[in-house]
Amino acid sequence: MELIYKNVALGKIVVTNRETFWVSGDFYPYPSASEFKDFFDALVCEDGFDEARFDEDLLKEDHWFVSENGSSKGISCPAVYENREIAFRYR
């Protein structure tokens, strides 16, 4: 499975848990994911998320997908943690 933003593949996801619409796993970022690091860090920050710091396109769930076996599914903005865990839900 791959994490996709618009048409850019950001990394490989190895799924470790699925519960109805929620999915979690291990995230193995591609070099293209480096420009998203600040965004991912801010999304999971316990001090809160200041969306004014980021381009509003990043917050549009219509731009986030996972691709698996040639099929794409829309997801929420993914939570990517410092330890490279990822969590998201299907739209």
Side-chain angles (χ1 to χ4, degrees):
M1 179 180 285
E2 285 185 306
L3 175 64
I4 310 289
Y5 173 73
K6 292 185 178 179
N7 61 349
V8 178
L10 300 181
K12 179 181 174 181
I13 300 169
V14 176
V15 175
T16 57
N17 191 33
R18 291 181 195 254
E19 290 183 31
T20 314
F21 296 104
W22 287 96
V23 178
S24 59
D26 299 319
F27 182 63
Y28 300 93
Y30 300 152
S32 56
S34 63
E35 67 184 81
F36 294 83
K37 184 178 181 341
D38 289 342
F39 177 70
F40 291 149
D41 289 347
L43 276 177
V44 298
C45 177
E46 293 183 15
D47 295 332
F49 178 71
D50 179 8
E51 60 186 64
R53 290 182 46 214
F54 300 98
D55 185 320
E56 64 184 51
D57 267 3
L58 287 171
L59 300 171
K60 291 183 179 175
E61 291 189 344
D62 293 351
H63 295 162
W64 291 99
F65 300 89
V66 289
S67 177
E68 187 173 32
N69 300 323
S71 177
S72 293
K73 293 183 183 178
I75 63 168
S76 61
C77 292
V80 178
Y81 297 90
E82 191 71 28
N83 64 357
R84 297 207 175 150
E85 288 183 15
I86 187 170
F88 60 87
R89 65 174 174 74
Y90 289 110
R91 289 189 266 123

